[in-house]
Amino acid sequence: MQHLTIFMDIESSRSYIDELYSSDVTKVLEALITLKNSVIGSNRQKSSVIQQGIVPRLLQLMSEQNWDPNIRLEATITIGSLAKGTSENVNALVEQGAAVALVEILKEVPIGTKLAEASLCALRSIFLNPPAPISALPAEMRLLSRLTQITREGSPTARACVVRILSIWCGGPIEQEALCAAGACNAIAALLAPKGTTPPPIARALPALDLLAAMCFENANVSQVALNTRYGDKTIPELLTLLVSRDKPLPVAMGAARCITFIHRAGALPADDSRVVFGALPCLARLCTKDMPEDIRATAAETLAYLAEVDTSLQRLAAISNHLMSSLADIVNCPSAAAKQGAFKCFASLGANDEDIRKRIIETHGLMVHVVNGMNNPEPSVRLAAVRCLHSLSRSVQQLRTTFQDHSVWRPLMQLLSESPGTELLTVGSSTLCNLLLEFSPAKEPMLDQGAVEMLCNLTKRPEAALRLNGIWALMNMAFQAEQKVKQRILCCLGTEQMFRLLGDSDTRVIMKTLGLLRNLLSTRQHIDAIMNEFSSQVMQAVIVVLEGSYPAEVKEQALCILGNIGDGEKAKDFIMANEDVLRKLVDYLAHPESKLQEAALFVAGNLVWKGEAGCAARQARLAELGVLRALKLLRQRPDAAHLHDKVKTALAQFNELT
Amino acid sequence: MAAMGSGRGTMDSQNQVQSDNIDRLKLLYPNVNEDETPLPRSWSTKDKFSYIGLSQNNLRVHYKGHGKTHKDAASVRATHPIPAACGLYYFEVRIVSKGRDGYMGIGLSAHGVNMNRLPGWDKHSYGYHGDDGHSFCSSGTGQPYGPTFTTGDVIGCGVNLVDNTCFYTKNGHHLGIAFRGLPPNLYPTVGLQTPGEVVDANFGQQPFVFDIEDMLRELRARTRLAIDEFPLPDEQGQWQQVLHRMVSTYLVHHGYCSTAQAFSRATGEHIHEDITSIKNRQRISKLVMSGRIGEAIESTRRLYPGLLERDADLLFLLKCRQFVEMVNGTDSEMCGGGGGCLSHNGVATSVISHTSRAHSPVPPDTHHTHNGLHTNGVTDISEQKQNCDVDMTPEPVAPLNPCAAPTAPSTGAPNGAHDGSEPVKGMPGVTACVAALLSPRKFEGEGCRASVERMLAFGRELYAMSQKLSQDHYHKSMLEDAFSLLAYSNPWDSPLGWQLEPVRREAVCEALNSAILEFQGMQWVSPVEACVSHSRELLKRMARASLGACAFADLPDRATSNDRSGAPRSLVLRDPKSGGDAGSVAQVGHTDTFAVKAIHSYYWGRGSCVAQS
């Protein structure tokens, strides 16, 4: 009460601010308390105090080891109060070194003191405001051991603060490993354990679950440690299984299911483990249902998406669990971006592998409209999730021909891809394009008109391997059984230089698809001749580059297949026949130990010697001269090439004059 | 226990074997009163279409028709409808074989629905079909619902009787709600349609594949929350005061005088009865609780003249108990002249121990050791308790049994009816046994014979008295039970031995105490007990009105009320032995929320807050 009256007096004069800088301990303390009372509960006062530049003095008072402990405590509480202000307030505090100063106090002050608790509260407030000052808290073993000790022995408030801070701080493998080494798993197990039959209170369990999830995310080592950490007679997964049950508060069940999910995805629990199948999965499916609050549904859908992302059996189970698909179709209609994107991601996971599920998603739940709307959503995360969903569904041949066409999904997709989207969206979007551009897709034509070729060619120039791959892959699909003008357009647009660049790509898959594109371009006789007429030297050079370079067998196989295609052309054959290098290589490959290269070479030889075509006798003579005939005969005798015998015989039969 | 016994009565004999170990269904559905609403435990042998065959204790169903068209469909219902008091009911069906086409339906149907159909096709019939995975809600056309099911799958069907919904499970996975707005009294039903189809049911006798406990816990928590959050006007929500009054009136009611006074001092709760009056009642209660009924009757006559004269039924109840205590050897009338003992040291003498040569009976909690003393076992019961003001937990009175090894078990001489005069003539059902008791034992000694004769005289008097009362079943069976004790050489070990248990005195004590209170113009039942009976009654009414929430509103002490007489047992509070502090407040503070709400509804006469919630 006494302070209050002082405050009233000084509030008008504000002279107490000056007292803060006094050397008289009593005066400073009084001034501090007055200041504290004035900022508590008032954002206006907080901003004003920060603007007046008092923070450095407060930090100084807070860190002064030799002063009155009460001064340190009051200064810390005041900082803590300021940290509960607006986002700008917190940013200002961090800039002035508040976080670092608080961490310093934690290093030095004994655990269990009021000062330690006050600094933890202040630090938590600061960490709760993104972006959290992660670097203020170094991954030092001594400090972390101290913090985990607090999670075991501290007051309930101190524990909750530490665990919350660490759960935000733990954002990468370094932090994960450091915490694990400091014994955080044991501390977490203790926080999650029931006392007798009473489950842990929600305020204790929630931060612990968040911390556990943060530690296990994509970390096999930490997840393995968590798997084997016990409290009493129960391991962490067993404790989590207790928490996913239906009588637990929703956020707790959600958090526990999320932890099991992360431990599973990090490889510590198999997909058929009962804690995954009967613990996390049904819990998440239940949390997606209509009766649940929207934020819970959103997180549950997203977590379920992650849980079922790769495993087909989990996808099938989820698809029949608790009307999940209806729940998701309903979540898509929720107003929040988080809910929409969670639902789209979950649909994407469910439909990843199973054609039947994809069919149900589209037919039963009329999802296409929502996906198209989602791609036009102002929120980037929703657009991305919608494209992911579309990508997953585009694996269905049937859907490509029907529903996708009905809804012209390519239109918003092309739109998105042409608006300089982020890398992630571009990757997923171009993968989807690959599927849409498959030969039988009716979407192909309109997409060409929208400038798909140009866009894809640009993709092949991206620094990201995944994007180059998608670009060239899509082009390859586009060229498959395409009209000649489309092929011409691809070749012109891509340019031979770029093609050579792609053949030298660091990613073998890119090289494969580039050769694949060439193969697709060089198919059907007229196209072969037309294209070779124009690009013969470049194409031959490309093939020679591959055949001579140190490429894996499957790449060389592609190159040989291109030769084979060229050999199928009418005039194009001459380009091969004119190149003695290539012909000699052919002989070598016929004797190559790799069976698929033998077969590919055989395919080339077969096309070249085919009788009844103009100049075949001359070619046969030339090839025999270079040793092709002998190589074929040898091949016929090789027991390991038995499966090729019929083809060899056919080829040999062509040489009737020479045999 | 009574409910369980009769529940078994309704089962066919083969099933009984299974449930002898533990009755899992009792654990799943503790609030179901099987006397009123038996649980489904097997398929009905009558309520089925002729194409259905049953085997394996009527749990396995197979199809034995032609199975050509849907007109050959056949169903079977369980023996009983699902009681609402289950709260959440669940059963599982394992597909042993899908037969030719796997046209199997699992679900529910009301009584009387055509059995020549699959469940779900008709009104008041609901099913989930294996061939297409569709759900059928009283209609010939199904809705896409779940996956198909086939040989080896376990399909579960759950009925939520709080929300009136139905869900299914497949191999332990919840498939989501299939039906809403279900009518009450549905039977578990399965239907088959093609040859070779065989399914097994598990009504809960075996562990389920699906974790039903999890859902039960959820509903229990939900119901509790509904009760907790049931809104009350502010002025009625003053629990502390209500609880204090509850505790105080309870203590006064049962005559825990010192504790009541201590409690009153601690809480300021006023005691409305005169202390002397409480002490008088307490004294009489103590006499009854130690089995000294004769003295209790005397005291009552002296302190409350006119009470027993007016209430013949009560007197009869007391006398009957007195007779039982005579057999027990605890009633003082057996030791001296008719008017009670000279000293107040009740001398307990078991008549039967003289006459029967008991065959080493095993009484519960025997802690009076007699070192094999043969004889007039004399024990002082009251002495030990003299100083204890409030203790009324009945000491288990050990029936005094000489442990002398019997040389030969009593042969009993069943045909001794002609011996003696005809003292027992006209006492139906007991003539033979009393006669048997009398006849061959002349050598036993005069004292003993005297007490037996006194007992018989008392019996005759009692019988005469019963003739004057209105002849209702209750009195008759009470008398018969009491008399029948004489028929056994060792009454403690007999099927009617429960009468001799000291705990049986509680009902008598309560009846007398209530009558005295009423006689003095006070409430004859304590508010706590009224409240609990009220709540219990509400639960029963909820069950009858098909309100499934009654399954999850737990009353304290539910499990312990196994009193055969049906009289209310004192419940929440056992008397604190210390007799000093007001420790019992805390105890009441922990009583179940439901009870507290019920207390509230009792106090403010709001009928049924539970039924509404």
Side-chain angles (χ1 to χ4, degrees):
Chain A
M1 288 314 280
Q2 201 193 343
H3 298 316
L4 194 65
T5 51
I6 294 170
F7 161 66
M8 287 313 208
D9 289 338
I10 294 174
E11 172 79 310
S12 47
S13 68
R14 294 225 164 249
S15 67
Y16 71 95
I17 300 283
D18 299 334
E19 304 275 298
L20 274 181
Y21 296 88
S22 160
S23 54
D24 183 339
V25 173
T26 329
K27 281 186 180 167
V28 172
L29 187 58
E30 278 183 7
L32 260 179
I33 291 170
T34 315
L35 178 67
K36 179 184 75 177
N37 290 339
S38 81
V39 295
I40 285 176
S42 161
N43 276 0
R44 192 182 53 80
Q45 285 282 16
K46 291 188 212 303
S47 302
S48 146
V49 164
I50 291 170
Q51 275 159 22
Q52 287 178 60
I54 302 172
V55 173
R57 176 60 178 167
L58 286 173
L59 295 180
Q60 191 192 2
L61 292 173
M62 190 173 87
S63 313
E64 204 63 66
Q65 294 197 25
N66 305 322
W67 268 43
D68 184 349
N70 285 327
I71 289 186
R72 299 190 69 188
L73 181 61
E74 294 300 333
T76 311
I77 294 174
T78 311
I79 289 287
S81 176
L82 293 176
K84 283 199 160 75
T86 63
S87 191
E88 289 75 37
N89 294 160
V90 183
N91 291 339
L93 286 175
V94 173
E95 272 166 35
Q96 298 182 58
V100 176
L102 288 166
V103 172
E104 285 306 315
I105 292 181
L106 288 174
K107 284 183 185 168
E108 148 257 319
V109 172
I111 291 166
T113 55
K114 280 187 178 175
L115 182 54
E117 192 172 310
S119 33
L120 280 171
C121 287
L123 199 58
R124 175 175 62 175
S125 301
I126 291 175
F127 265 75
L128 282 172
N129 178 60
I134 306 296
S135 58
L137 194 68
E140 287 167 12
M141 195 43 63
R142 227 185 114 252
L143 176 61
L144 292 179
S145 304
R146 223 179 144 80
L147 293 179
T148 43
Q149 193 189 345
I150 295 174
T151 62
R152 284 193 305 268
E153 300 161 13
S155 68
T157 318
R159 281 186 198 190
C161 289
V162 170
V163 178
R164 177 51 69 210
I165 292 166
L166 292 177
S167 72
I168 299 167
W169 176 75
C170 182
I174 296 167
E175 289 87 0
Q176 289 171 334
E177 299 290 345
L179 277 175
C180 187
C185 284
N186 282 311
I188 289 168
L191 293 171
L192 297 180
K195 297 282 173 278
T197 54
T198 319
I202 186 165
R204 193 174 80 195
L206 272 190
L209 289 169
D210 284 346
L211 176 56
L212 182 61
M215 284 175 64
C216 292
F217 183 66
E218 292 182 343
N219 191 319
N221 178 38
V222 176
S223 295
Q224 196 60 44
V225 172
L227 195 65
N228 298 318
T229 303
R230 286 173 177 278
Y231 185 84
D233 59 342
K234 293 204 160 54
T235 62
I236 284 184
E238 281 161 356
L239 293 171
L240 293 173
T241 311
L242 293 179
L243 296 178
V244 295
S245 62
R246 290 167 171 262
D247 57 343
K248 299 294 178 294
L250 301 179
V252 171
M254 179 62 238
R258 193 157 157 261
C259 288
I260 298 175
T261 299
F262 286 9
I263 293 173
H264 158 63
R265 285 302 306 274
L269 280 177
D272 59 355
D273 189 282
S274 69
R275 289 160 292 198
V276 175
V277 175
F278 291 106
L281 189 132
C283 173
L284 292 171
R286 174 171 63 89
L287 295 178
C288 286
T289 54
K290 283 197 178 103
D291 314 325
M292 300 293 160
E294 188 172 323
D295 59 330
I296 290 280
R297 300 179 84 185
T299 323
E302 183 155 11
T303 311
L304 192 47
Y306 186 53
L307 178 71
E309 194 176 1
V310 291
D311 189 274
T312 311
S313 66
L314 287 178
Q315 289 158 9
R316 289 191 179 133
L317 266 184
I320 63 159
S321 287
N322 219 329
H323 297 312
L324 177 65
M325 305 235 259
S326 309
S327 302
L328 292 175
D330 185 67
I331 298 177
V332 166
N333 289 322
C334 285
S336 78
K340 282 186 198 295
Q341 69 130 3
F344 280 134
K345 279 188 186 170
C346 200
F347 272 128
S349 283
L350 293 183
N353 302 331
D354 191 299
E355 177 69 24
D356 187 50
I357 297 177
R358 286 196 282 262
K359 204 174 144 198
R360 278 173 60 201
I361 291 176
I362 292 168
E363 288 180 1
T364 320
H365 303 284
L367 193 67
M368 281 331 282
V369 184
H370 294 296
V371 171
V372 171
N373 290 340
M375 286 196 288
N376 293 320
N377 194 286
E379 192 65 41
S381 66
V382 176
R383 294 200 295 266
L384 176 60
V387 175
R388 275 191 193 288
C389 186
L390 187 67
H391 176 227
S392 174
L393 298 174
S394 71
R395 291 180 185 142
S396 163
V397 170
Q398 193 196 4
Q399 298 310 329
L400 288 173
R401 286 194 177 139
T402 56
T403 332
F404 277 40
Q405 183 63 16
D406 296 345
H407 290 87
S408 307
V409 292
W410 52 270
R411 216 187 295 272
L413 184 63
M414 285 297 294
Q415 181 78 23
L416 275 185
L417 294 178
S418 55
E419 285 167 350
S420 61
T423 313
E424 204 179 352
L425 179 57
L426 205 50
T427 314
V428 188
S430 52
S431 295
T432 315
L433 268 190
C434 280
N435 291 342
L436 294 184
L437 285 168
L438 279 176
E439 144 289 322
F440 42 76
S441 170
K444 206 160 164 176
E445 280 300 319
M447 284 171 68
L448 281 171
D449 299 341
Q450 291 257 310
V453 174
E454 292 71 20
M455 193 202 76
L456 292 172
C457 290
N458 284 334
L459 275 186
T460 64
K461 295 170 185 158
R462 296 284 299 220
E464 299 90 350
L467 288 179
R468 293 198 303 274
L469 176 64
N470 284 348
I472 194 71
W473 196 331
L475 286 171
M476 180 184 97
N477 283 350
M478 189 185 268
F480 185 69
Q481 296 185 355
E483 291 170 41
Q484 195 176 338
K485 63 168 192 199
V486 175
K487 292 182 176 177
Q488 292 280 5
R489 190 162 160 189
I490 293 174
L491 265 174
C492 289
C493 187
L494 187 64
T496 46
E497 252 179 76
Q498 176 62 11
M499 196 187 308
F500 281 116
R501 218 173 284 135
L502 289 172
L503 286 175
D505 202 283
S506 55
D507 190 331
T508 312
R509 291 173 304 170
V510 173
I511 303 172
M512 290 285 286
K513 299 303 169 194
T514 312
L515 293 169
L517 169 64
L518 273 174
R519 268 182 77 179
N520 285 348
L521 290 173
L522 294 167
S523 71
T524 75
R525 186 156 279 195
Q526 303 96 306
H527 293 181
I528 295 168
D529 285 334
I531 289 171
M532 285 306 283
N533 199 22
E534 206 169 333
F535 300 99
S536 63
S537 61
Q538 290 94 331
V539 172
M540 288 307 289
Q541 198 191 337
V543 171
I544 291 167
V545 163
V546 174
L547 290 181
E548 288 184 343
S550 53
Y551 290 97
E554 64 264 26
V555 175
K556 299 202 174 203
E557 183 192 11
Q558 289 297 319
L560 286 169
C561 288
I562 294 169
L563 277 185
N565 282 8
I566 297 169
D568 187 38
E570 209 173 323
K571 302 208 186 72
K573 285 184 176 73
D574 301 338
F575 293 109
I576 302 178
M577 294 309 297
N579 195 324
E580 195 175 320
D581 271 359
V582 171
L583 294 176
R584 287 193 188 284
K585 289 216 158 27
L586 191 61
V587 177
D588 294 345
Y589 282 113
L590 279 171
H592 201 277
E594 192 78 49
S595 163
K596 56 186 165 197
L597 291 181
Q598 285 170 15
E599 190 173 359
L602 182 59
F603 165 63
V604 182
N607 278 348
L608 290 177
V609 301
W610 199 254
K611 62 182 174 184
E613 287 183 349
C616 78
R619 283 196 296 277
Q620 287 179 1
R622 172 80 176 138
L623 288 172
E625 180 194 332
L626 284 168
V628 171
L629 185 58
R630 193 163 47 89
L632 284 173
K633 283 178 177 164
L634 283 174
L635 189 58
R636 189 170 60 175
Q637 283 154 24
R638 283 176 70 153
D640 60 340
H643 61 290
L644 298 176
H645 277 179
D646 284 349
K647 287 181 184 170
V648 177
K649 250 167 83 182
T650 317
L652 284 174
Q654 309 298 323
F655 287 94
N656 40 6
E657 282 103 64
L658 296 155
T659 43
Chain B
M1 295 308 278
M4 181 162 162
S6 65
R8 282 185 184 171
T10 66
M11 289 186 300
D12 64 45
S13 56
Q14 288 162 303
N15 276 3
Q16 196 159 345
V17 182
Q18 265 185 323
S19 52
D20 267 347
N21 317 328
I22 18 158
D23 192 347
R24 302 181 64 95
L25 274 90
K26 277 280 155 213
L27 297 175
L28 271 174
Y29 314 116
N31 285 20
V32 172
N33 174 6
E34 284 205 83
D35 290 336
E36 243 175 67
T37 50
L39 287 160
R41 285 167 187 270
S42 65
W43 299 114
S44 167
T45 50
K46 299 178 192 92
D47 197 6
K48 68 179 184 66
F49 194 66
S50 55
Y51 290 171
I52 289 290
L54 297 177
S55 59
Q56 308 211 349
N57 304 335
N58 297 329
L59 290 173
R60 171 165 288 189
V61 183
H62 66 268
Y63 183 81
K64 56 181 188 185
H66 318 292
K68 292 206 177 86
T69 69
H70 71 275
K71 285 179 185 159
D72 297 323
S75 290
V76 58
R77 271 188 280 271
T79 47
H80 300 285
I82 298 163
C86 290
L88 177 67
Y89 182 80
Y90 183 74
F91 69 102
E92 280 181 348
V93 171
R94 194 167 61 86
I95 314 303
V96 178
S97 167
K98 75 173 192 83
R100 198 185 68 205
D101 298 326
Y103 291 159
M104 301 162 290
I106 292 162
L108 308 160
S109 64
H111 180 74
V113 172
N114 186 359
M115 297 313 264
N116 189 12
R117 308 273 285 163
L118 287 188
W121 284 350
D122 301 292
K123 195 163 163 40
H124 294 315
S125 173
Y126 308 85
Y128 165 35
H129 292 195
D131 55 317
D132 56 7
H134 287 186
S135 64
F136 289 73
C137 182
S138 304
S139 155
T141 18
Q143 297 291 319
Y145 167 69
T148 57
F149 55 85
T150 183
T151 307
D153 286 329
V154 175
I155 301 301
C157 175
V159 182
N160 182 328
L161 295 137
V162 182
D163 303 337
N164 297 316
T165 55
C166 165
F167 65 89
Y168 288 92
T169 66
K170 179 180 172 182
N171 300 326
H173 294 279
H174 194 294
L175 302 179
I177 290 174
F179 310 113
R180 295 174 194 273
L182 293 180
N185 296 317
L186 292 171
Y187 292 72
T189 308
V190 292
L192 305 174
Q193 197 187 302
T194 65
E197 291 168 358
V198 184
V199 301
D200 277 349
N202 174 10
F203 291 104
Q205 290 99 333
Q206 305 296 322
F208 291 124
V209 176
F210 177 69
D211 184 6
I212 193 69
E213 302 285 339
D214 193 27
M215 294 192 85
L216 284 167
R217 278 193 299 270
E218 180 193 28
L219 280 171
R220 200 163 288 134
R222 221 180 79 192
T223 308
R224 172 168 287 245
L225 197 69
I227 295 171
D228 286 349
E229 288 180 351
F230 186 78
L232 293 173
D234 282 346
E235 74 273 18
Q236 295 181 11
Q238 291 156 2
W239 302 122
Q240 188 70 12
Q241 205 192 328
V242 174
L243 288 172
H244 282 169
R245 200 183 314 163
M246 283 279 174
V247 175
S248 172
T249 49
Y250 175 85
L251 294 172
V252 170
H253 181 93
H254 289 281
Y256 302 140
C257 192
S258 304
T259 310
Q261 283 175 294
F263 186 78
S264 170
R265 276 196 300 279
T267 61
E269 190 64 41
H270 182 63
I271 297 176
H272 295 278
E273 190 181 349
D274 184 50
I275 298 298
T276 332
S277 164
I278 302 175
K279 287 204 163 139
N280 285 338
R281 286 192 293 110
Q282 186 180 25
R283 238 187 318 271
I284 291 169
S285 291
K286 270 166 71 180
L287 287 172
V288 176
M289 288 311 291
S290 52
R292 290 146 64 185
I293 313 292
E295 288 170 73
I297 292 172
E298 274 318 301
S299 300
T300 310
R301 287 211 161 103
R302 198 170 61 246
L303 289 164
Y304 310 101
L307 169 62
L308 292 177
E309 287 73 12
R310 208 171 67 182
D311 192 343
D313 284 355
L314 176 64
L315 185 61
F316 180 72
L317 176 71
L318 286 165
K319 293 268 184 189
C320 260
R321 186 68 212 176
Q322 189 174 6
F323 184 84
V324 173
E325 297 297 347
M326 282 173 159
V327 176
N328 222 350
T330 36
D331 190 76
S332 46
E333 205 133 334
M334 293 309 295
C335 68
C341 290
L342 297 174
S343 73
H344 265 271
N345 298 348
V347 179
T349 311
S350 171
V351 178
I352 303 297
S353 67
H354 286 277
T355 55
S356 71
R357 286 191 204 144
H359 194 303
S360 66
V362 193
D365 295 329
T366 310
H367 65 264
H368 292 248
T369 42
H370 286 274
N371 304 327
L373 261 178
H374 178 279
T375 85
N376 299 332
V378 173
T379 185
D380 185 319
I381 301 160
S382 50
E383 199 75 3
Q384 315 160 251
K385 300 187 191 165
Q386 214 70 331
N387 301 324
C388 183
D389 177 40
V390 290
D391 189 355
M392 86 173 238
T393 309
E395 292 287 330
V397 176
L400 308 167
N401 304 304
C403 312
T407 46
S410 169
T411 46
N415 296 322
H418 293 296
D419 194 61
S421 54
E422 61 271 37
V424 288
K425 193 173 186 182
M427 284 165 70
V430 292
T431 316
C433 58
V434 176
L437 186 81
L438 269 177
S439 60
R441 307 240 163 87
K442 297 200 171 149
F443 56 89
E444 281 277 4
E446 283 308 305
C448 166
R449 183 178 167 86
S451 49
V452 171
E453 277 177 354
R454 206 159 37 241
M455 202 158 84
L456 285 173
F458 188 85
R460 270 192 295 271
E461 194 185 312
L462 198 54
Y463 179 68
M465 191 176 168
S466 80
Q467 297 295 57
K468 283 182 209 150
L469 290 171
S470 56
Q471 284 290 327
D472 70 345
H473 177 69
Y474 179 65
H475 287 132
K476 217 171 141 187
S477 69
M478 184 159 64
L479 190 66
E480 271 177 27
D481 283 350
F483 284 167
S484 303
L485 283 172
L486 298 179
Y488 297 93
S489 56
N490 179 5
W492 290 276
D493 206 21
S494 73
L496 291 157
W498 52 266
Q499 294 180 90
L500 295 163
E501 287 164 21
V503 75
R504 297 286 152 196
R505 293 170 188 153
E506 280 186 24
V508 181
C509 178
E510 182 55 30
L512 180 54
N513 189 37
S514 299
I516 294 172
L517 285 166
E518 203 180 14
F519 185 68
Q520 291 180 296
M522 287 181 276
Q523 264 191 314
W524 63 276
V525 59
S526 78
V528 170
E529 281 153 321
C531 192
V532 169
S533 325
H534 175 73
S535 315
R536 208 167 269 143
E537 198 51 43
L538 286 179
L539 289 184
K540 277 185 203 156
R541 295 184 67 157
M542 284 174 77
R544 283 182 206 128
S546 299
L547 292 168
C550 67
F552 305 113
D554 294 318
L555 272 177
D557 208 42
R558 173 170 38 73
T560 60
S561 84
N562 50 3
D563 200 327
R564 271 176 193 252
S565 68
R569 283 209 20 187
S570 43
L571 74 159
V572 193
L573 300 163
R574 286 273 125 213
D575 188 47
K577 297 238 174 190
S578 63
D581 65 355
S584 44
V585 188
Q587 241 179 311
V588 180
H590 284 133
T591 49
D592 197 275
T593 332
F594 179 77
V596 175
K597 287 271 166 157
I599 288 170
H600 175 272
S601 81
Y602 169 77
Y603 255 68
W604 278 272
R606 299 216 1 195
S608 50
C609 69
V610 184
Q612 292 165 30
S613 61

